[in-house]
Amino acid sequence: MNHTDAVREIVKVIPESQEEFKESYKTKTPFMVISVFTKQIKKLIKNHDQKILMKSITKMNQLYSKGDQALKNAIENIFIYSLDSLTFCCEPSYKDLIFSKMSPGLQNNYLRQVYKSGI
């Protein structure tokens, strides 16, 4: 799966993201696609839209497991990297719910980034 396939998959989960993807520069690279998706996930967390948030995390898992290397790199460098800032203001139970929905691959990547940084 490449980043153009990912756009179609993301729009299925978050239909309002289609508006943002209409700007062509946001669909040209995997990094822009995952950046838009991460911004949508941030909005879902902020609005406590748990149902669509869980579907979005599941979709991120699928994109990571089925995506090409460029898509995986984008997920690791944008989504995983920004997880702490996305969940900073969450209740601990809500944060635990988000992390529990992530695939073991994404969780391991997150832990690798946290420990690598020395935090």
Side-chain angles (χ1 to χ4, degrees), residues 80-111:
I80 296 294
Y81 185 78
S82 62
L83 266 174
D84 280 338
S85 65
L86 293 175
T87 59
F88 180 73
C89 295
C90 291
E91 294 282 323
S93 60
Y94 198 59
K95 185 175 180 176
D96 290 344
L97 176 66
I98 292 168
F99 279 87
S100 72
K101 229 10 189 173
M102 289 172 40
S103 69
L106 285 178
Q107 288 178 1
N108 289 338
N109 196 282
Y110 169 77
L111 290 173

Side-chain angles (χ1 to χ4, degrees), residues 16-87:
E16 56 269 16
S17 67
Q18 184 169 5
E19 198 60 37
E20 207 163 338
F21 283 124
K22 283 185 179 176
E23 298 177 45
S24 64
Y25 77 93
K26 291 185 179 180
T27 60
K28 287 193 189 263
T29 68
F31 283 87
M32 288 304 298
V33 170
I34 298 303
S35 180
V36 169
F37 193 26
T38 301
K39 194 172 8 170
Q40 294 290 327
I41 289 174
K42 180 180 183 178
K43 197 182 305 182
L44 293 170
I45 290 171
K46 184 180 172 194
N47 295 335
H48 296 285
D49 192 342
Q50 188 173 332
K51 183 179 177 183
I52 297 176
L53 175 62
M54 293 302 115
K55 288 180 181 179
S56 298
I57 300 294
T58 300
K59 184 56 68 182
M60 190 67 81
N61 292 334
Q62 290 175 340
L63 295 177
Y64 189 71
S65 67
K66 296 179 182 176
D68 60 16
Q69 193 58 48
L71 195 59
K72 288 181 181 189
N73 288 342
I75 292 169
E76 290 171 3
N77 290 304
I78 295 172
F79 176 69
I80 296 294
Y81 185 78
S82 62
L83 266 174
D84 280 338
S85 65
L86 293 175
T87 59

